[in-house]
């Protein structure tokens, strides 16, 4: 599982009133639960050796502040209007509320996804041409 997605899931879990959450993607599973006196929720995950190496490399990196823009639907994420065109936004770009920031293809329809607010794109959480689910984090806008 992508470390950025795992961090986003953990942040959303910590901000919510949910006591237990389990997410499965293929052979990987992440389970979060709030325990009695534990200072932070325990995490159990099945990951590959490369995933563990990536986590160790970026464990010292500071978390990115901002608001997560969730996917409003299930589909395929595209950063650009066409393969030969530049992406709608890049990290560091200033965006305006209503500005198209990506496309999600669902049932052969291309749905333009607007920015929910003004701000600066701090992170792009989804990979181009990636299948996404409803609620998956797409961007972090500060």
């Amino acid at each position: 599982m992508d470390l950025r997605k795992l961090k986003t899931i953990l942040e959303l879990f910590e901000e919510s009133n949910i006591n237990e959450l389990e997410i499965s993607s293929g052979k990987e599973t992440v389970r979060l639960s709030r325990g009695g006196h534990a200072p932070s929720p325990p995490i159990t995950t099945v990951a590959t050796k490369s995933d563990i190496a990536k986590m160790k490399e970026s464990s010292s990196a500071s978390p990115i502040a901002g608001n997560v823009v969730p996917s409003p639907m299930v589909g395929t994420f595209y950063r650009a209007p066409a393969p030969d065109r530049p992406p709608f936004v890049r990290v560091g770009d200033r965006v305006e509320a209503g500005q198209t920031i990506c496309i999600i293809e669902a049932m052969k329809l291309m749905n333009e996804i607007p920015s929910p607010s003004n701000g600066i794109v701090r992170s792009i959480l989804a990979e181009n041409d990636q299948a996404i689910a409803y609620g998956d984090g797409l961007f972090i806008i500060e």
Side-chain angles (χ1 to χ4, degrees), residues 28-142:
E28 300 172 336
T29 300
V30 175
R31 181 179 182 86
L32 303 172
S33 65
R34 297 187 196 276
H37 301 112
S40 62
I43 300 174
T44 304
T45 184
V46 177
T48 64
K49 288 182 182 179
S50 63
D51 290 336
I52 293 167
K54 288 177 189 174
M55 286 180 194
K56 286 180 182 176
E57 287 175 13
S58 61
S59 64
S60 62
S62 61
I64 298 171
N67 298 314
V68 175
V69 177
S71 174
M73 64 185 67
V74 173
T76 303
F77 173 83
Y78 293 107
R79 291 189 57 203
D84 59 340
R85 305 274 309 275
F88 289 106
V89 295
R90 292 183 169 91
V91 173
D93 286 355
R94 177 168 291 284
V95 295
E96 302 292 323
Q99 175 184 340
T100 300
I101 55 176
C102 68
I103 291 177
I104 297 178
E105 178 185 4
M107 298 179 65
K108 305 287 184 190
L109 295 174
M110 299 296 183
N111 301 280
E112 292 184 352
I113 307 303
S115 174
S117 61
N118 296 340
I120 297 173
V121 177
R122 293 296 178 200
S123 182
I124 301 172
L125 304 174
E127 297 294 325
N128 195 50
D129 199 24
Q130 174 185 344
I132 54 168
Y134 173 81
D136 281 356
L138 303 176
F139 298 89
I140 295 179
I141 298 179
E142 181 178 56

